[in-house]
Amino acid sequence: MSSKGFIFDLDGVIVDTAKYHFLAWKKIADQLGIEFTEENNELLKGVSRVRSLDIILELGRKEVSQQDKNKWLLQKNEDYLSQLVDMDSSEILPAVFEVLQFLKDHNQPIALGSASKNARPILEKTGILSYFDAIVDGNDVTNAKPDPEVFLIAAQLLNIKPENAIVFEDSVAGIQAANIAKMTSIGIGDKTVLHQAKFIFKDFTKISQEFIEDLIKAP
Ligand code: B16
Ligand code: MG
């Protein structure tokens, strides 16, 4: 048995912040006169803030100056953060806390690997910051998923080999990043969307303790 490490994406895996991102982006899109639907919002999952704005502008076939982009990016983040003010542990997705606790009880190293620049305050507000031995977020990386940078840094900080890392991800780009890094990818969500993942579960309630034990024990 070689020592394993578990890397969690944040949005869509630990908490469902996609709905808050959507509301904030929708306000920007409305002001820009761009139609932006919940279906369009799928394109922004796991994608950086800067790239998200570019995708919305592409949807509306609009071009704006860099100065205006900076203004929209600031407004989006202020709006998003204002929605997180009252966030607490009730926002943690079902069975995530139990899995984190199970891993801690089995002395498994845990890291966060997220594109979000707001990851730390979210972990703090939901009361699970202390479960993480390493946090790698949008402030630490230069290349966005599917580039494996975020997960490779996380594995390095956990002091484990990439092939011994297990990644929980809800986005296609994140699954691809984990696969490129030769990590074990576990998709959380729709199996038709996340078909490139090694294992796929609708959510954490579908993951048994035996399954996690087997991951820990795998050679
Ligand atoms: P922020 P993840 C990603 O987080 C979100 O999925 C994505 O929708 C968001 O645009 C991105 O974080 C950046 O977030 O504006 O907070 O820096 O899924 O990689 O945890
Ligand atoms: Mg995600």
Side-chain angles (χ1 to χ4, degrees), residues 9-11 21 44 46-47 49 52 114-118 145:
D9 174 50
L10 180 66
D11 296 337
H21 282 296
L44 311 189
V47 170
R49 198 181 312 161
S52 297
S114 165
S116 175
K117 293 190 171 180
N118 298 303
K145 301 168 190 174

Side-chain angles (χ1 to χ4, degrees), residues 37-82:
T37 63
E38 290 206 43
E39 202 182 2
N40 297 146
N41 193 51
E42 287 298 310
L43 300 170
L44 311 189
K45 286 193 178 169
V47 170
S48 73
R49 198 181 312 161
V50 171
R51 179 71 195 128
S52 297
L53 177 59
D54 284 340
I55 291 173
I56 291 171
L57 291 168
E58 282 163 21
L59 284 170
R61 295 193 174 81
K62 278 226 157 152
E63 278 183 33
V64 300
S65 67
Q66 188 55 50
Q67 205 183 353
D68 279 350
K69 275 191 189 177
N70 294 344
K71 183 188 82 180
W72 295 123
L73 288 168
L74 191 67
Q75 188 184 316
K76 189 272 169 178
N77 200 45
E78 281 175 356
D79 190 311
Y80 174 66
L81 288 178
S82 74

Side-chain angles (χ1 to χ4, degrees), residues 2-39:
S2 34
S3 52
K4 302 294 187 322
F6 290 78
I7 306 174
F8 289 73
D9 174 50
L10 180 66
D11 296 337
V13 169
I14 295 177
V15 284
D16 178 19
T17 39
K19 57 188 180 219
Y20 303 130
H21 282 296
F22 174 68
L23 291 172
W25 282 127
K26 176 92 180 110
K27 280 190 204 162
I28 306 286
D30 286 349
Q31 290 172 68
L32 283 160
I34 297 173
E35 199 198 338
F36 182 62
T37 63
E38 290 206 43
E39 202 182 2

Side-chain angles (χ1 to χ4, degrees), residues 122-138:
I122 292 173
L123 292 179
E124 262 170 37
K125 279 173 184 294
T126 51
I128 51 172
L129 183 63
S130 64
Y131 280 80
F132 291 84
D133 302 295
I135 293 173
V136 189
D137 66 17

Side-chain angles (χ1 to χ4, degrees), residues 8 13-15 92-101 128 204-205:
F8 289 73
V13 169
I14 295 177
V15 284
I92 299 174
L93 287 166
V96 170
F97 186 78
E98 287 75 6
V99 171
L100 287 170
Q101 189 61 51
I128 51 172
F204 278 87
T205 66

Side-chain angles (χ1 to χ4, degrees), residues 174-192:
I175 294 294
Q176 290 170 339
N179 290 344
I180 292 168
K182 302 210 172 352
M183 299 177 172
T184 300
S185 55
I186 303 188
I188 303 294
D190 188 319
K191 62 176 184 302
T192 49

